[in-house]
Amino acid sequence: MSGQEIEKLIKIIAKLPALGTRSARRIVLYLLKKKEGVLLPLIEALTGVAENIKTCEVCGNFDTLSPCSVCSSEKRDRSTVCVVQDVTDLWAMERVGFYRGQYHVLGGVLSALDGVSPEDLNIEKLLSRLAEGEITEVILALPATVDGQITVHYLVSRLKDTGVKITTLAQGIPVGAELDYMDEGTIQLAINSRKEM
Amino acid sequence: MSGQEIEKLIKIIAKLPALGTRSARRIVLYLLKKKEGVLLPLIEALTGVAENIKTCEVCGNFDTLSPCSVCSSEKRDRSTVCVVQDVTDLWAMERVGFYRGQYHVLGGVLSALDGVSPEDLNIEKLLSRLAEGEITEVILALPATVDGQITVHYLVSRLKDTGVKITTLAQGIPVGAELDYMDEGTIQLAINSRKEM
């Protein structure tokens, strides 16, 4: 018997994304073996996040403050807003550190299969932010999937009357990629969107 | 910015077995989205384990008690001890529920590559358990790897003077397996160890 408490913990961990029962067992065993070094710091970090992290009421980011540090920063451009699918995409953009504007987290993309309709996404809030008049450009940084592109088309149709400039991320061959390994759709798209040097 | 506290949590989770930075980010985002449903129960379960789980002083199992529920159970056979590599193997045996004897967790196997020598394993404790005289059979349930089998040979050489019966798990074709998919070593071993019907 591995104890009721251990079983309960394994069950919770097994339900986390990318994990299953087998990896949950390995993780719990690792935590039990490294109680001082890993388990206690993990509990402390989780408790810190649970107590202090809020959803930003403006953009949907997670931060200790609401409005978040991006929304409230004096140094960031308030005329551009980048629409992303999820907070992880916002984090990815921030890791690059190149973009200096605002964000808007949509909370997903439209999907007939998963039953995600426009009401399920954070679209009304985006429209009300645009209505304030400070934003002049909306960058749609949504995934290059069918659902992502359907969402782009839907958002373009909703936003075109606001008069703001709407852009999307460039698509093509990623940096460092070999043509041999690219799918045909990407190669075709890269040829169609070729640039003169 | 995703916040110092979130970054710290991602770093700890990324170091857990079977995880990396990317899956840690996904997990943290999932926890942030399901605070009441997952994050708080996870903290509670981790705290419960951290506060209550001990290493059994007799066999090395993890349990709320020491000696553990297996070692202290009146219903279990005290004449047989099953030597396993790690607590996960003990859990695997207990899930089957067929074995009714005692356990001894070795804490690893001998490995020249990883620098694991006999002193690093829980062998002396096993010898002192045998010296008490109650145990008549030792089942070596160690992995069917080179290191596992080297450890079996080493343990046999250490235990042969104690006079107890030493057995190992049967090796051969696993239940439900197709011959076509088995490696040659296993097939050869299964032929050599064939049984008369």
Side-chain angles (χ1 to χ4, degrees):
Chain A
M1 319 298 199
S2 55
Q4 286 249 309
E5 265 160 335
I6 297 179
E7 281 305 324
K8 198 173 126 195
L9 180 59
I10 290 173
K11 261 188 200 150
I12 295 175
I13 293 182
K15 277 187 207 144
L16 298 179
L19 294 177
T21 309
R22 189 172 291 267
S23 37
R25 271 192 221 117
R26 279 185 59 200
I27 288 172
V28 170
L29 190 72
Y30 179 84
L31 292 173
L32 282 167
K33 283 182 180 174
K34 309 212 169 196
K35 189 170 160 180
E36 303 298 326
V38 185
L39 178 53
L40 297 183
L42 175 63
I43 292 173
E44 202 189 309
L46 283 167
T47 310
V49 162
E51 282 172 359
N52 300 322
I53 303 297
K54 305 171 184 71
T55 304
C56 171
E57 66 206 49
V58 179
C59 74
N61 188 12
F62 288 118
D63 204 342
T64 43
L65 307 160
S66 172
C68 72
S69 55
V70 176
C71 287
S72 58
S73 170
E74 292 291 322
K75 291 181 187 155
R76 300 192 68 128
D77 177 15
R78 296 184 167 277
S79 67
T80 314
V81 63
C82 177
V83 177
V84 290
Q85 180 184 12
D86 225 327
V87 178
T88 39
D89 300 328
L90 189 160
W91 293 350
M93 295 279 287
E94 286 299 289
R95 277 200 299 281
V96 178
F98 179 75
Y99 177 69
R100 303 304 299 160
Q102 304 288 311
Y103 290 99
H104 192 82
V105 179
L106 217 51
V109 287
L110 297 175
S111 169
L113 226 68
D114 298 334
V116 181
S117 58
E119 302 84 63
D120 301 320
L121 303 178
N122 194 12
I123 296 175
E124 292 309 317
K125 180 80 200 165
L126 176 64
L127 289 169
S128 70
R129 285 179 78 182
L130 293 177
E132 287 168 17
E134 209 175 1
I135 295 159
T136 57
E137 180 178 355
V138 173
I139 304 171
L140 300 175
L142 295 174
T145 58
V146 173
D147 283 345
Q149 295 311 300
I150 288 171
T151 312
V152 164
H153 282 289
Y154 177 80
L155 285 176
V156 168
S157 76
R158 289 290 299 271
L159 299 180
K160 65 167 188 273
D161 295 335
T162 62
V164 298
K165 185 174 159 189
I166 305 168
T167 57
T168 64
L169 295 186
Q171 290 192 302
I173 313 289
V175 175
E178 304 209 34
L179 271 189
D180 196 20
Y181 287 88
M182 297 308 305
D183 65 296
E184 287 139 38
T186 303
I187 293 179
Q188 195 181 331
L189 193 142
I191 295 172
N192 281 337
S193 313
R194 67 190 178 279
K195 289 171 73 177
E196 208 177 311
M197 297 296 283
Chain B
M1 321 293 198
S2 55
Q4 287 248 308
E5 263 159 335
I6 297 179
E7 282 303 323
K8 198 173 125 194
L9 180 59
I10 290 173
K11 262 188 199 150
I12 295 175
I13 293 182
K15 278 187 207 143
L16 297 179
L19 295 177
T21 310
R22 187 173 293 267
S23 37
R25 273 193 218 113
R26 278 183 61 199
I27 288 172
V28 170
L29 190 73
Y30 179 84
L31 292 174
L32 283 165
K33 284 182 179 173
K34 311 213 167 194
K35 189 170 158 178
E36 304 299 325
V38 185
L39 178 52
L40 298 184
L42 175 63
I43 292 173
E44 201 188 309
L46 283 168
T47 311
V49 163
E51 283 172 0
N52 300 324
I53 302 297
K54 304 170 186 73
T55 304
C56 172
E57 67 205 48
V58 179
C59 73
N61 187 14
F62 289 119
D63 203 342
T64 44
L65 306 160
S66 173
C68 72
S69 55
V70 177
C71 287
S72 58
S73 169
E74 293 289 323
K75 290 182 189 155
R76 298 192 70 127
D77 176 16
R78 297 185 166 274
S79 67
T80 314
V81 62
C82 177
V83 177
V84 291
Q85 180 184 12
D86 225 327
V87 178
T88 40
D89 300 328
L90 190 161
W91 293 349
M93 295 279 287
E94 285 300 290
R95 276 199 300 281
V96 178
F98 178 74
Y99 178 69
R100 302 305 301 158
Q102 304 288 310
Y103 290 99
H104 191 82
V105 179
L106 217 50
V109 287
L110 296 175
S111 169
L113 225 68
D114 299 335
V116 181
S117 59
E119 302 84 63
D120 301 320
L121 302 178
N122 195 13
I123 296 176
E124 293 310 317
K125 179 79 201 165
L126 175 63
L127 290 169
S128 70
R129 286 179 78 182
L130 292 179
E132 287 168 18
E134 208 174 3
I135 296 160
T136 56
E137 180 177 356
V138 173
I139 304 170
L140 301 175
L142 295 174
T145 58
V146 174
D147 283 347
Q149 294 313 300
I150 287 171
T151 312
V152 165
H153 282 288
Y154 177 80
L155 285 176
V156 168
S157 76
R158 287 290 299 271
L159 299 180
K160 66 169 188 273
D161 295 335
T162 62
V164 297
K165 185 173 161 190
I166 305 168
T167 55
T168 63
L169 295 186
Q171 291 193 301
I173 313 290
V175 175
E178 306 209 33
L179 270 190
D180 197 19
Y181 287 88
M182 296 310 302
D183 66 295
E184 286 138 39
T186 303
I187 293 179
Q188 196 180 330
L189 194 142
I191 296 173
N192 279 338
S193 313
R194 66 191 179 278
K195 290 171 75 178
E196 209 177 311
M197 299 295 283

